[in-house]
Amino acid sequence: MWMTDGHYEPIFKAKSFGLYQMGACHLTISLGESYDDGFCYKFIAAIIPAVAP
């Protein structure tokens, strides 16, 4: 799923492909506008840690 969170996006882009654990968190999921293929896609708009880092 694509992510647009301004804080976490560069952190994950700097890592190699794989699975990473963040601990408990809340995700804000948004539905984007219609794409060229006529479909709308979900993306992660924000990641909110459940416990302050």
Side-chain angles (χ1 to χ4, degrees), residues 30-46:
S30 293
L31 183 63
E33 294 183 17
S34 180
Y35 196 66
D36 293 340
D37 59 7
F39 290 96
C40 296
Y41 294 91
K42 293 179 268 186
F43 59 93
I44 300 168

Side-chain angles (χ1 to χ4, degrees), residues 7-51:
H7 176 75
Y8 287 103
E9 183 179 21
I11 293 171
F12 284 106
K13 279 189 171 183
K15 298 178 182 244
S16 61
F17 182 77
L19 298 175
Y20 300 95
Q21 292 194 12
M22 289 189 58
C25 61
H26 302 279
L27 300 178
T28 302
I29 308 296
S30 293
L31 183 63
E33 294 183 17
S34 180
Y35 196 66
D36 293 340
D37 59 7
F39 290 96
C40 296
Y41 294 91
K42 293 179 268 186
F43 59 93
I44 300 168
I47 299 173
I48 304 161
V51 179

